[in-house]
Amino acid sequence: MSKTVLVLVETVDDYLPLLEEAGYRLIRAPSPQMRSDAIARHAHEIDAVLTRGPLGLTSSEIDAMPKLQIICVIGAGYEQVDLAAAAARGITVTNGAGANAAAVADHTLALLLALLRDIPRGDASTRRGEWNRVISPSVSGKRLGILGLGAVGLAIAKRAALGFDMHISYHSRTPRTDVAFTWYDSPLHLADAVDILVIATPGGAGTQHLVDAEVLAALGAEGYLVNIARASVVDTEALVAALQRGSLAGAALDVFDDEPAVPDALKALGNTVLTPHVAGQSPEAARDTVSLVLRNLQAFFAGEPVLTPVRLHTL
């Protein structure tokens, strides 16, 4: 018997046929209205849900689907999925840890280079017929701090160390024993020791405003911030204030608090580089993401362990 998957995501459409070819029936509901309509009409048919961290799945939605057995989250973050409600029903939750790590790491280095070398403004002024040869900082040899050294953080670290001879430091809850990078016991101590701070940690209550005014002050007037994780990890008001008064050299952001709205204050600044939450998106990443979802679904419905389980205690 085929299983029915409610698809709430909107970024992997080209590769959803992989699921259909494997025999899954898909109900696509990428907008809020389509989502509520699909649950209202098909609640008793849905065996699995495909979502992503910011889209999540609420306790009331979980309660409305009596056949729901597994929730697959694309990407590493799952902050808006009600894990307690899922656990209470015995529903398995998986995420996409590592599936788009290469794409996110590539984009991170692109943002970092664009920010430090002032690429966007140089391009814009050249197109206007100007010839502003501004001297910009080198990237090679800088001290890079990474907040969160999971699959994405590690991919960023390897690129920065091998490609740009950067000294790598990081903060995570516990130090890793499989890397030679320098571990710091807090975001504050990490920021104080580096030139560039990259945010690569999951979102959610546990990481809310880890990077606050104090951390930004420690990063300093010659420091740079790059966020490709979740906007909630950074205090946006404190970030804007630091950028406006010059107590932080610049910031490159792929994530925002109220997407797709971007604060006018950030857009008005000349020391920011802004992209529309696309770090994890590439054809290769989308393919690998859907392939991982398929492997998790196939394992689950065959009674085998899933590949990337999310557990309540991991919050």
Side-chain angles (χ1 to χ4, degrees):
M1 181 182 296
S2 65
K3 301 296 183 180
T4 297
V5 182
L6 175 64
V7 179
L8 305 179
V9 299
E10 73 290 354
T11 56
V12 293
D13 285 358
D14 289 347
Y15 295 93
L16 289 177
L18 291 174
L19 300 180
E20 292 175 313
E21 290 165 7
Y24 292 94
R25 173 196 173 212
L26 305 185
I27 300 173
R28 292 176 171 84
S31 72
Q33 187 60 54
M34 294 174 69
R35 174 174 175 159
S36 59
D37 289 348
I39 293 174
R41 292 178 58 191
H42 302 285
H44 291 269
E45 306 165 31
I46 296 167
D47 303 287
V49 170
L50 177 55
T51 188
R52 59 185 177 89
L55 293 175
L57 199 67
T58 67
S59 59
S60 60
E61 289 173 327
I62 290 170
D63 289 343
M65 295 181 277
K67 288 185 62 183
L68 181 63
Q69 301 174 66
I70 180 171
I71 302 165
C72 295
V73 186
I74 66 171
Y78 43 83
E79 65 272 20
Q80 295 300 322
V81 176
D82 194 319
L83 296 185
R89 280 266 308 275
I91 295 169
T92 295
V93 181
T94 68
N95 70 351
N100 64 355
V104 176
D106 289 352
H107 195 81
T108 302
L109 269 294
L111 286 175
L112 193 157
L113 288 163
L115 179 64
L116 269 70
R117 299 298 296 170
D118 207 11
I119 301 297
R121 286 202 296 174
D123 175 83
S125 67
T126 303
R127 291 173 188 273
R128 291 193 299 266
E130 301 166 0
W131 197 248
N132 297 328
R133 301 181 69 191
V134 177
I135 297 175
S136 302
S138 296
V139 172
S140 297
K142 288 289 189 291
R143 300 171 300 169
L144 180 69
I146 303 175
L147 187 56
L149 202 66
V152 168
L154 191 58
I156 294 167
K158 288 179 177 177
R159 284 160 174 74
L162 296 175
F164 295 93
D165 196 28
M166 300 177 81
H167 176 77
I168 309 299
S169 303
Y170 71 100
H171 167 71
S172 57
R173 285 176 294 182
T174 56
R176 293 183 61 143
T177 59
D178 57 341
V179 298
F181 309 135
T182 304
W183 177 77
Y184 283 88
D185 62 359
S186 72
L188 179 64
H189 292 154
L190 176 64
D192 190 49
V194 301
D195 304 304
I196 304 159
L197 182 63
V198 172
I199 313 302
T201 192
T207 59
Q208 179 82 16
H209 288 185
L210 273 183
V211 177
D212 56 13
E214 189 177 12
V215 172
L216 294 171
L219 192 54
E222 296 183 358
Y224 296 87
L225 179 84
V226 180
N227 190 0
I228 45 73
R230 291 289 186 264
S232 60
V233 182
V234 179
D235 183 335
T236 300
E237 288 188 10
L239 175 61
V240 169
L243 290 167
Q244 287 175 334
R245 64 174 175 260
S247 57
L248 187 69
L253 309 172
D254 186 54
V255 288
F256 305 92
D257 290 310
D258 186 24
E259 296 177 0
V262 177
D264 289 338
L266 284 172
K267 291 187 285 187
L269 289 165
N271 53 351
T272 58
V273 176
L274 312 173
T275 56
H277 204 153
V278 293
Q281 295 185 32
S282 71
E284 298 86 354
R287 179 199 62 217
D288 292 346
T289 293
V290 176
S291 295
L292 179 57
V293 168
L294 177 58
R295 291 161 64 198
N296 273 318
L297 288 173
Q298 297 289 66
F300 177 81
F301 287 117
E304 300 170 359
V306 294
L307 284 74
T308 52
V310 171
R311 298 183 178 88
L312 182 60
H313 66 75
T314 62
L315 279 175

